[in-house]
Amino acid sequence: MHHQDLISGKVVLDVGCGTGVLSIFCAFAGATRVYAVDASDIAIQAMEIVRENELSDKVVVLHGRIEDVVIEEKVDVIVSEWMGYMLLYESMLGSVIFARDKWLKPGGLILPSHALLYMAPITNSQRYHDSVYFWRDVYVSSMMPLAKQCAFMEPSVETISGENVLTWPTVVSQVDCYTIQAQELETITATFKFTSMLQAPLHGFAFWFDVEFNRPVRQKSKKLANQSLDGNTQNASPSSKKKKTDVSIVLSTAPEDAPTHWQQTLLYLFEPIELKKDQNIEGSVTISQSQQHARFLNICLKYFTGDQWYVKESVMR
């Protein structure tokens, strides 16, 4: 509804429509026609939901992959809830890019339009106690190495709070849905340098994301738009970035914001590292699509805490 002036009287494409709720919202906003596309059988339910809302004359549900369906016209707007855990896990962003390049009119609207993936070091003693250290209490401490492997080998999707975060976050990746190309999603690498704000054990690293709902950038304002998404966002709080772009609508999955079903993605270390206040943590993270399964993510984390380098490799499957 915030962008109703760009939706009313327009043709909309909903990529991965699910139950069709976003398509229905677009129809309520005045869209003349909405193509709701989903490859799964939920599309059959979406057809029924559209009929229940008496919108069959406006919303056309297409059961099939976005790469395979036939749409006989260009669209003015693309909407999609494409985000996965850690933004890119099982993400449908590639399908949105395909739809954009094939059907979106020049200057068309994409919602959401931008995304930022963040990471930060965290402490979480309770999680370690619940998953590993409780074995001490039942006199079978020899189980602890296996418990660590089982609990911390793969990334964990769970909810933490702002109190678990040791530093300001850094930006790992910036996504502009108007311009990003599919090959850019294959491998993402970012360097980081954090400074701990308190003395605490480092238990791992957390990832979360924001998505923004912006209008298409006009030619004369591209320079300003690029400035707002440059490297200066490194090591800035999510709330400060929201203030800089307060004309946008922002959906945040940050630990300090209201919980969402995306929660946060945690990469736990097998052995905690005791950090001192103002101690630096630096390194790099590489996130790449699995060659075996395009929607899985390979994550390689290299970090240095002042005495030695560590490497944490994991697969989000």
Side-chain angles (χ1 to χ4, degrees), residues 185-187 287-299 315-317:
L185 303 175
E186 295 176 359
T187 300
I287 303 168
S288 58
Q289 292 179 348
S290 169
Q291 296 298 313
Q292 290 72 37
H293 196 302
R295 294 199 172 188
F296 291 175
L297 296 179
N298 296 322
I299 305 167
V315 179
M316 195 166 188
R317 67 182 86 229

Side-chain angles (χ1 to χ4, degrees), residues 84-87 89 117-128 131 148-166 201-209 253-256 260-270 285 287 297 299-301 303 312-317:
Y85 298 123
M86 201 176 170
L87 187 63
Y89 173 68
L117 176 63
Y118 302 102
M119 71 173 290
I122 58 104
T123 187
N124 195 348
S125 296
Q126 187 62 48
R127 176 70 155 81
Y128 259 71
S131 300
K148 290 177 183 177
Q149 289 289 323
C150 294
F152 304 140
M153 177 64 74
E154 296 185 359
S156 174
V157 177
E158 57 191 79
T159 298
I160 59 173
S161 72
E163 295 177 353
N164 296 109
V165 182
L166 292 171
L202 170 66
H203 287 119
F205 294 83
F207 295 81
W208 64 87
F209 64 87
T253 66
E256 71 267 23
T260 71
H261 83 275
W262 289 283
Q263 301 178 284
Q264 291 84 41
T265 299
L266 286 297
L267 264 66
Y268 284 105
L269 312 182
F270 291 127
V285 60
I287 303 168
L297 296 179
I299 305 167
C300 181
L301 188 63
Y303 54 100
K312 167 79 174 183
E313 294 183 316
S314 190
V315 179
M316 195 166 188
R317 67 182 86 229

Side-chain angles (χ1 to χ4, degrees), residues 82-83 87 112-118 169 173-175 207-213 236-242 245 249-257:
W82 55 264
M83 300 82 70
L87 187 63
S113 59
H114 298 82
L116 290 167
L117 176 63
Y118 302 102
S173 180
Q174 304 171 3
V175 173
F207 295 81
W208 64 87
F209 64 87
D210 291 352
V211 289
E212 299 180 0
F213 297 77
S237 69
S239 57
S240 70
K241 284 187 284 292
K242 289 175 193 174
T245 59
I249 296 173
V250 178
L251 167 63
S252 178
T253 66
E256 71 267 23
D257 286 317

Side-chain angles (χ1 to χ4, degrees), residues 188-204:
I188 295 169
T189 299
T191 58
F192 56 81
K193 184 174 183 180
F194 299 109
T195 302
S196 181
M197 295 187 290
L198 65 159
Q199 181 172 328
L202 170 66
H203 287 119

Side-chain angles (χ1 to χ4, degrees), residues 223-238:
K223 182 177 180 181
L224 294 176
N226 289 336
Q227 288 175 351
S228 70
L229 288 171
D230 66 10
N232 293 330
T233 55
Q234 296 278 331
N235 296 324
S237 69

